[in-house]
Amino acid sequence: MDLEYLLQLILNGLFVGSFYGLVALGYSMVYGIIKLLNFAHGDIYMLGAFSGYTLLTIGAGVIGGQASIIVLVVIMLIAMVLTGTIGLILERVAYRPLRSAPRLSVLITAVGASFALEYGIAVSFGPNPRVYPVGLGNESFTIFGARLTYAQLAMMLIAVALMVGLDQIVRRTRSGRAMRAISQDPKACLLMGINVDSVISRTFFVGSALAGAAGVMSGAYYGKIDFLMGFIIGLKAFTAAVIGGIGNLRGAVLGAIVLGLLESFGTAWLGSEWRDVFAFGFLILFLTVRPTGLLGERVTERV
Amino acid sequence: MTAPARIRTGSGEKASWLLEVDAMTVAFGGVTAVDGLTFVVNEGEVLSVIGPNGAGKTSAFNCITGFYKPTGGRVRLDGTDITGMRPARIAAMGVARTFQNLRLFGELSVLDNVRAGMHVRIKQSAFDAILHTPRYHRSEQEATDEANRWLDFVGSRGNRYNEVRNLPYGEQRRVEIARALAREPRMLLLDEPAAGLNHNEKEQLLDLLRRISDLGTAVVLIEHDMGLVMQVSERIVVLNYGKEIADGTPTQIRSNPAVIEAYLGAGDDVEEEAEKIAGLSDDQVFGQGEGEQA
Amino acid sequence: MSTDRTNRPEQPNASATNRTAPDAVDASAFVNAVDNRGDTKVALAGSGLAPGKPRKVSPVSRLISHPWFGLVIVALAVALPFIDSRAYTIRISTDALIFVMLAVGLNIVVGYCGLLDLGYAAFFAIGAYTSGVLTTTFGWPVIATIPCVVVAAVIGGLLIGGPTLRLRSDYLAIVTLGFGEIVRITANNLEFTGGPNGVFGIPDFGDFGLRADIATYWIVTVVVALAVLASARLGRGRLGRAWRFVREDEDAAEAMGIHTYKVKFAAYVTGAIFGGLAGVLFAVHQTAISPPSFNFLYSALILMAVVLGGMGSTPGVVVGAVIIALLPELLRGVENWRYFVFGVLLIVLMIFRPQGIWPHRVGETPAKVRRKPMREDDVEVVP
Ligand SMILES: Nc1ncnc2c1ncn2[C@@H]1O[C@H](COP(=O)(O)OP(=O)(O)OP(=O)(O)O)[C@@H](O)[C@H]1O
Ligand SMILES: [Mg+2]
C-alpha cells in the first residue's frame, strides 16, 4: 500500500470522525450526567440538517447558489440554537417526568421520542430526500499527495473549534463545574444549592446544539438530507462514545476519531457495503473486551 | 492487622469454622473501605459486626457474598475458598443475606418474593412448565406451602397474594428475612435488620433472631442498635475505618477502650455513644434508637 | 467518607425524600430519582420499592386473562375462513397472527426479563432466511428446516447476548439495535441470501386438499396459539419467575442463588426461538422475503405492541399485537402520520400508563394457591 493512499484513508477517517465526534459529545454528556441513553440524539442531528435546509431555503434569494463559509457558519449558529432548544424541550417533556421511573421505561420513551421526531419531519417535509439549496465548492488541495477539499478542511476546523469550546466550558465555567459535580453526586449538589434541573437542561441544550451543528455541516457537504439520516449516525456516535469511555468527553472525541479511522480502513479493505457491519461489529467486540472504553475507569457499582 | 485476632474465639476449634475471613481488603479509588479484616464465624453462632457509619461493614458483607471482589485477602466457607466467586454461587453454597436498603422484588407478590429463596431447590424444567406436567403442579404446590411456612415463621401478617411494595415497612423487612431463610442458609447475613423498626418490632426481631439461631443457622448481624446487639450476640467484631479494632464477647467489647475511643472519635454525640457501649447491661431492655437515650 | 447519618436505610415512602434533603425546599426530581433508585444498579424495572398504588384489576383485564377467553379467541380464529374467506381477509389475518407470535416472543425478553431488545427483527430474519434458503436453494421441505432455524436462532441469541448480558441493560438495547442492522445489511450484501432481491419461491407446508392460503392460515393459527400458550405458561413457572426476579432486581436475585446471566441468556434464547419460528411462518406465508422487511421500523413496531398491550402480560400483548398489526389496514396511506403518533404514544404511555393497556396481574388468586391448613405449632416443622 503506498503512502499517499494511506494518508488519504487517514484524512477521510479524520473527516468522518469529526462528525461522529460532534454527535458523540452530546450522547456522552447526557449519559455522563443522568445516565440516560438518549436514542433521539441522532435525530437531533437530523433536525439540525433540516433547520439549516429551512433557513437556507428562506434565505436562498439573498445568498445565491454558492454559499460562503461565513454564511454557512451563521446559518449553523442559528440552527444550533434551534436544535439546542428542541433538545431542551425534549428533556422537559419526555424525560424529566420519568426521572424516577424504571430504566426500561426511560429507554422506551427515548425510542418513542426518536420515532416522533423522525416521522414528525417525514410528515412536515415529506418522506423523500431534500436537496440542500446551496453547495460547497469542491476546490481541493493536496498534501503529500492526499486530496482534501477546502470545505472539508473548514468543517474539520469548525468541529475542532466547537469541541475545544465545549471542553473549555466544561472545564472552566461555573456551569461546567456544576455538570461535572452532578455526574459525581447529584444529591450533594442539590444540598450545595446547585440547581440540578437547570444544569441538566443546559446539558441537553449544549449537546443538542453540537449535534445540530454537525447536521448542518453534513447537509451542506453531502447535499442530500432525509428524515432517517440520524438513525445510523446516532448508532455510530454511541459506538464512538463507548470506544472512548461513555461519559468522558475527551474520550468521546478520541473514540470518534478511532471509529472514523477504523471505518475508513475497514471500507478500503472490505468495501463500503460492509462499513456499518464493520462499525457495529466493532462496537460489540469492544463491549466484550473493554466495556469501560479507552479512557473510562472501572467503577464498582454500589450494592 | 494483628494476626492473632483470629484465635480469640474461645470455643473455636478450627474444624467448626464455618466462615473464615482472612486479611480481606477492598479499596475504591482512594478509599480503603475494608482493610485487612480477619475474623471467623463458627457453625451456628450469632456474631455481630459493629462500627461507626462508613466503617466498612456493608462493604465487608458485599465481599463475603461476592458482590465486591476483594482487592486482597481470602474468604473461605467451610474450608472452600470462595474469594471472588459469583454471588449466585456463594448463595447456592448456603450463604443468604439481606440488604441495608430493602431490596425486595417490589412489583411481585409476597409469595413470589419468598419463592425466590427456594429457586435453586425447585425441581422443575421449562418443559414441565409448558406442558403442566404432574411434576410442575407438585413442585409449585410445595414451593407455595414452603413459602407460606417461612412467612409464618417470621410472623408476617400482610396479604401474601399482592405486591410486596404495598406492605408497611416493617412487614417488608420481615419478608426480606423470610426470603433469605427460604434459601435454607447455613449462614445468614443481616445488614441492619432493626433500622427503621419501632420498639415493638425490634422486640419481635430479637425473638426471631433467636429462633433462627435455634434452627442451627449461623447469623452475622450488622446493627447500630447496641441494645439488640448486646442481647443477641455471642461475639462481636468491631470495625473502624475498615480495620478491625476488637473481637470478643459483649462483655469484653463493652469495656474495651479502643471501641469506646472509636465511637467517641467518630460521633459528635459523644456521651450517648459512650453510654451505649459501656452502659448497657445484658438484660437491659433495648430499643433506644440513636439520640433517644438520656 | 460519609460519617453522617444520612446513610441510614430509608423508609420506602414519599416522606423519605423530605427527610434526606431537609433544606432543599423543592427537591429536584432528579435527586428524588437518585434517592429512590439508590445508586445501585437496580436493574431495569427494579424501581426499588416505590409505594405504588394498588392496581385495581379491571373487569376487562380479568375477562381477557381468563383461560376460557383464550379458547374462545382460538375458536374464532379457526372459524374465520368459514365466516369470511376472501383472500384479503385471510392474508391480513395471517400477518396479524405472525405478528402476535413475534410480540409474545419479544415479551419474554422485554416484558418478563426486562431486557430491551431493539433488534428483534433480526431473529425473525434469521428464521425466515434460514428456512427460505434451505427450501429454495437446497430443496428441503419447510418442516425439515425447523431444527436448523432453531439452531440458527439460538446461535444468534448467544452471539448477541454473550457479550452484553453482563453490561448495563442500556448497552444491550443499543447493541441489539446494531445487531439488527448487521443482520439486515449482511442479508443485503451476501450472494446466497439473494442480495437486495432476497429469496423467492418459498414453498408452503402443503395444501392438504384445501385452498393453499387457508391451509397456511390454519397451520399458522395452530402454531401461534401454541406459542402463546407456551409463553404464558413459561412465564408462570420457575424460569418465568426467575426472569421477573432479574427484571426487578438483579442483585437481590443473585443473592438468592439465581445465576442472572444464565437466566438472561435463557430469556434471550427463548425469545430468539420464538422470533425464528415466526420467521419460518412469515417466509412460507409471503413466499418471498427481502432485507427491507426486517428493518428497525419492524423491530420498533413489535416493541410498540408489547408496550401498548402491557409488558409481561400475555393477553395484553396479544391484543396489543392485533391492534398494531391491523391498524395499517384501517389507516391506509397515512403511514408517516401513524408512526409519528406511535412515537408520541410511546412517550405518553411511559409517562402516564407504563403498565400498558392490559397490565399483568400480580395478584395470585388464593383459590389457585391452595394452602394447606396450618396450625400454630406447624411453625416448628420448618424444613
Ligand atoms: N461501590 C463503592 N464505590 C465507592 N466507594 C464505596 C463503595 N461502597 C462503599 N464505599 C465507601 O466505602 C466506605 C465504607 O462504606 P460501607 O457502606 O461499607 O460502610 P458501613 O460500615 O456499612 O456504614 P453504614 O453504617 O453507614 O452502613 C464508605 O466511605 C463508602 O463511601
Ligand atoms: Mg452499611
Side-chain angles (χ1 to χ4, degrees), chain B residues 239-252:
Chain B
L239 295 188
N240 196 19
Y241 293 111
K243 290 201 167 75
E244 183 188 285
I245 55 169
D247 180 339
T249 64
T251 328
Q252 288 165 343

Side-chain angles (χ1 to χ4, degrees), chain A residues 300-303, chain B residues 28 31 33 51-60 68 100 191-192 222 224, chain C residues 1-2 4 7-8:
Chain A
T300 311
E301 304 232 34
R302 247 168 233 262
V303 178
Chain B
F28 308 103
V31 184
N53 288 116
K57 307 179 292 294
T58 302
S59 302
Y68 293 165
Q100 182 164 0
D191 198 342
E192 304 199 18
I222 293 179
H224 282 293
Chain C
M1 270 251 174
S2 70
D4 63 1
N7 247 350
R8 314 289 299 150

Side-chain angles (χ1 to χ4, degrees), chain B residues 123-136:
Chain B
K123 296 266 179 302
Q124 182 199 110
S125 74
F127 295 102
D128 288 324
I130 293 177
L131 301 175
H132 275 195
T133 59
R135 196 154 80 134
Y136 167 80

